[in-house]
Amino acid sequence: MGVWMKSWSVYICFLLLSGCIKHHDSVNDVRPNILIAILDDASFEHMSAYGCDWVNTPAFDRVAENGILFMNAYTPNAKCAPSRAAILTGRNSWQLEEAANHWCFFPDKFKTYPEVLIDNGYHVGYTTKGFAPGIPGIVNGKRRELTGKAYNEVKLDPPTPYISGNDYAANFKQFLDDNEEGLPFSFWYGSIEPHRRFEYGSGVSIGGKRTEEIDSVYSFWPDNEVIRNDLLDYAFEIEYFDRHLAYMLDELESRGQLENTIVMVTADNGMAFPRVKGQEYELSNHLPLAIMWAEGIVNPGRKVNDFISFIDFAPTFLEVARIEESRSGMQTITGKSLVYIFNSLSDGVVDPTRDRVLIGKERHDIGRPEDHGYPIRGIVKGDYLLIRNLKTDRWPAGNPETGYLNCDASPTKTVCLNLRRNGITDSYWKWNFGKRPELEFYNIRKDKECVHNLVDNPTLQDVISQMNDQLEKELKEQGDPRIFGNGDIFDKYVYADSARTNFYTKFTEGKRPPTGWVNDSDFEVEFEVTFQ
């Protein structure tokens, strides 16, 4: 009887294993579709699936509930163009030459995963914001389509003047209708929400929200009605993005295509508020991520704690499309595919070696002498964030006299600036615009706002040293010019917006180029150096 039971157990295990293998094979009989939906400037915790009560995102939540909700997804670089470049290439921004910078000429040598999918029989397109802002370049006499063919023809009347007039969902439907051959498809839904500007008060007047719904305001901003309204306007635009995502999911379901479509929803960088977007703090780089794929994700409904980087998306898409990297024509990919997480039954930590991500930045917006950037390298590992500010003599958000151009105009920005100007307090100005030490170290589980620098804590010196050594080791392996003493090359790459190139020189000569993303009042006409 014992032998029989043992044999029967082995047989059952074989059947279960065979079932898993059979499922995996059946998934690969038909290459999956890909829908990647990218919010423009939204932080990790502002999706209702993560427990936010003042933002309602049922479509994002649907993807999470029927797939995987990732708890530790990070962009390597918290600004639109370099973040999107990392998604497209599977490489960190310091591995992308000009594409490390905002408003760059995208280098010819870096092929993108959508271009590879086109070469391998996919129907590929996007709506509104693909790779931007920057110049994609020319191939064979034609402008490169880094994210595929544009679908922007269908328009609507947006609820506010600053929300896009493109009908995202209708343009997606047009893209699907154009796929007459029934090819597997890849579509990039790139909204411009919740990018600045917002219509002030729209969260309350149109969205029906109340400022008291917000449980707390980050400590590096004052807590008042202006800031709270600014946050609710931001929430209203996130919800607008989410409604169009819901329409897209419903459209796929009505066509019988949802089950074999990988739906990936994320944002390119953190919220467009001071000290977040364009910086490299926890709220800047830690982003929402949910992935659904009914025919390819085992045990949906999981929360995964593995550290995920945007450079992991491209190899994931290549693997599910059954395209070997060696024949893709792409430069060597640094990221690692997420397919093994799809195939796992586990929640929590799936792969213990995925315990860290690297982050960093070069030039974002201009406004410093010679169009220089503010270079940073950093590492997030476990509970900690280590930041190395490589040029501490420079202003992190841009020079005061040129309007802090790496911080978008907003009511929140104006409040923080005016509190200093009016002699009330300079504390918020220091948090958001002041200069920084060479080394910053934070416990991001206890201090997500990154306001308590622990770099001098004697009990953490071993951890700081280990993380710093690991950062240097991996940057060397990835060929980062900064580590090899050639980092100034990033400041020498031409800013691709010719009207604003050499901005600081033009500004000091009285020729002020257009700066539509900041207010005139952001420029510090009489800046007092005593506040540095």
Side-chain angles (χ1 to χ4, degrees):
M1 177 66 72
V3 174
W4 181 87
M5 287 295 293
K6 182 177 180 180
S7 299
W8 178 249
S9 298
V10 171
Y11 178 66
I12 291 295
C13 290
F14 174 77
L15 287 178
L16 291 173
L17 182 59
S18 298
C20 291
I21 294 172
K22 181 179 179 181
H23 173 75
H24 182 77
D25 286 345
S26 66
V27 167
N28 287 307
D29 287 343
V30 178
R31 293 189 294 172
N33 307 311
I34 298 166
L35 170 61
I36 181 168
I38 303 179
L39 288 139
D40 198 355
D41 306 348
S43 290
F44 159 75
E45 56 189 9
H46 299 142
M47 306 287 129
S48 45
Y50 290 114
C52 185
D53 294 330
W54 47 275
V55 185
N56 185 29
T57 54
F60 180 90
D61 299 355
R62 177 185 179 184
V63 174
E65 290 164 4
N66 292 280
I68 300 173
L69 182 65
F70 289 86
M71 307 305 291
N72 289 301
Y74 287 77
T75 178
N77 190 326
K79 195 74 169 184
C80 299
S83 179
R84 291 161 190 261
I87 293 175
L88 291 169
T89 63
R91 294 168 66 89
N92 283 309
S93 55
W94 47 88
Q95 299 178 292
L96 291 174
E97 299 176 2
E98 290 97 328
N101 290 342
H102 200 60
W103 263 109
C104 75
F105 292 97
F106 197 90
D108 292 344
K109 68 191 292 184
F110 296 114
K111 194 170 186 177
T112 68
Y113 82 80
E115 292 176 311
V116 175
L117 292 177
I118 291 171
D119 291 344
N120 287 270
Y122 267 71
H123 175 53
V124 180
Y126 78 99
T127 188
T128 310
K129 188 168 182 176
F131 169 77
I135 308 299
I138 304 294
V139 172
N140 297 325
K142 297 177 63 177
R143 181 183 174 91
R144 284 181 73 181
E145 296 180 334
L146 301 179
T147 51
K149 179 182 176 181
Y151 281 81
N152 297 319
E153 293 184 0
V154 187
K155 307 296 182 182
L156 50 64
D157 292 324
T160 79
Y162 300 114
I163 286 176
S164 175
N166 277 359
D167 188 331
Y168 302 127
N171 282 303
F172 177 57
K173 182 177 183 298
Q174 182 62 59
F175 165 80
L176 295 175
D177 290 343
D178 282 355
N179 189 14
E180 296 177 355
E181 298 180 27
L183 301 172
F185 70 77
S186 175
F187 190 79
W188 176 294
Y189 164 29
S191 81
I192 63 166
E193 290 76 44
H195 194 286
R196 295 286 182 177
R197 300 175 182 248
F198 309 148
E199 182 175 271
Y200 184 75
S202 57
V204 172
S205 63
I206 304 176
K209 297 180 176 296
R210 295 175 293 110
T211 55
E212 56 266 30
E213 293 176 26
I214 298 174
D215 53 352
S216 64
V217 172
Y218 298 138
S219 63
F220 45 75
W221 310 323
D223 186 352
N224 58 36
E225 288 297 295
V226 173
I227 307 298
R228 286 174 173 260
N229 269 288
D230 204 11
L231 289 168
L232 292 183
D233 299 343
Y234 158 75
F236 176 68
E237 294 211 356
I238 290 175
E239 293 175 359
Y240 184 82
F241 161 92
D242 193 76
R243 284 197 295 276
H244 279 267
L245 175 62
Y247 299 148
M248 293 179 184
L249 298 178
D250 289 344
E251 182 67 28
L252 288 171
E253 190 168 37
S254 71
R255 295 173 183 244
Q257 292 183 297
L258 183 58
E259 289 197 348
N260 196 34
T261 298
I262 299 175
V263 181
M264 177 182 290
V265 191
T266 188
D268 56 359
N269 49 252
M271 61 198 304
F273 283 69
R275 197 177 163 83
V276 184
K277 179 183 177 182
Q279 304 307 314
E280 299 297 308
Y281 290 119
E282 169 70 357
L283 297 172
S284 311
N285 295 71
H286 190 181
L287 299 176
L289 176 63
I291 303 177
M292 177 174 72
W293 181 18
E295 292 187 359
I297 288 180
V298 178
N299 191 24
R302 290 179 282 147
K303 292 182 180 179
V304 167
N305 295 332
D306 295 40
F307 280 77
I308 307 302
S309 173
F310 276 18
I311 61 176
D312 299 327
F313 298 168
T316 301
F317 296 149
L318 292 188
E319 182 172 351
V320 299
R322 301 202 302 277
I323 301 169
E324 295 178 8
E325 181 187 335
S326 59
R327 62 180 180 87
S328 68
M330 298 178 72
Q331 295 290 320
T332 302
I333 291 175
T334 305
K336 305 298 181 186
S337 170
L338 303 177
V339 170
Y340 75 95
I341 295 179
F342 299 169
N343 291 333
S344 172
L345 293 170
S346 301
D347 56 9
V349 175
V350 178
D351 179 359
T353 66
R354 273 191 177 271
D355 62 350
R356 66 197 181 280
V357 291
L358 302 190
I359 61 173
K361 60 179 278 193
E362 287 295 335
R363 183 176 64 222
H364 286 173
D365 290 306
I366 32 70
R368 300 183 189 89
E370 300 181 69
D371 290 342
H372 284 168
Y374 188 83
I376 292 175
R377 295 294 183 269
I379 180 170
V380 184
K381 185 172 183 179
D383 292 343
Y384 297 105
L385 165 62
L386 174 72
I387 293 175
R388 291 173 58 176
N389 297 301
L390 304 178
K391 299 286 184 179
T392 56
D393 59 318
R394 301 178 187 175
W395 294 97
N399 279 42
E401 66 272 27
T402 53
Y404 310 99
L405 293 184
N406 199 34
C407 180
D408 295 347
S410 69
T412 300
K413 180 180 181 181
T414 298
V415 166
C416 293
L417 293 178
N418 284 342
L419 286 172
R420 185 200 67 82
R421 289 169 181 160
N422 296 332
I424 299 171
T425 177
D426 67 334
S427 58
Y428 299 112
W429 177 89
K430 286 180 178 178
W431 283 124
N432 295 291
F433 307 108
K435 291 184 178 179
R436 298 173 185 162
E438 183 176 348
L439 201 63
E440 299 178 76
F441 190 71
Y442 301 100
N443 185 325
I444 54 177
R445 300 304 166 217
K446 296 179 179 179
D447 178 25
K448 66 184 177 184
E449 298 178 12
C450 297
V451 294
H452 302 292
N453 189 359
L454 303 175
V455 71
D456 294 324
N457 187 316
T459 66
L460 295 172
Q461 295 309 302
D462 286 346
V463 178
I464 293 171
S465 179
Q466 290 167 10
M467 287 180 63
N468 189 55
D469 289 347
Q470 185 164 24
L471 174 63
E472 286 206 14
K473 175 179 178 292
E474 295 192 28
L475 291 175
K476 285 179 180 178
E477 292 172 350
Q478 295 176 20
D480 181 4
R482 286 281 172 198
I483 293 297
F484 294 101
N486 302 318
D488 289 345
I489 185 66
F490 292 111
D491 286 329
K492 295 175 182 177
Y493 291 130
V494 176
Y495 192 70
D497 184 355
S498 58
R500 298 181 177 92
T501 302
N502 297 320
F503 180 92
Y504 192 87
T505 300
K506 294 174 182 176
F507 179 83
T508 55
E509 292 175 350
K511 308 169 187 175
R512 180 170 154 183
T515 51
W517 67 97
V518 298
N519 293 330
D520 287 346
S521 62
D522 293 348
F523 290 77
E524 300 276 21
V525 178
E526 297 180 357
F527 183 73
E528 298 180 25
V529 296
T530 55
F531 284 105
Q532 293 186 32

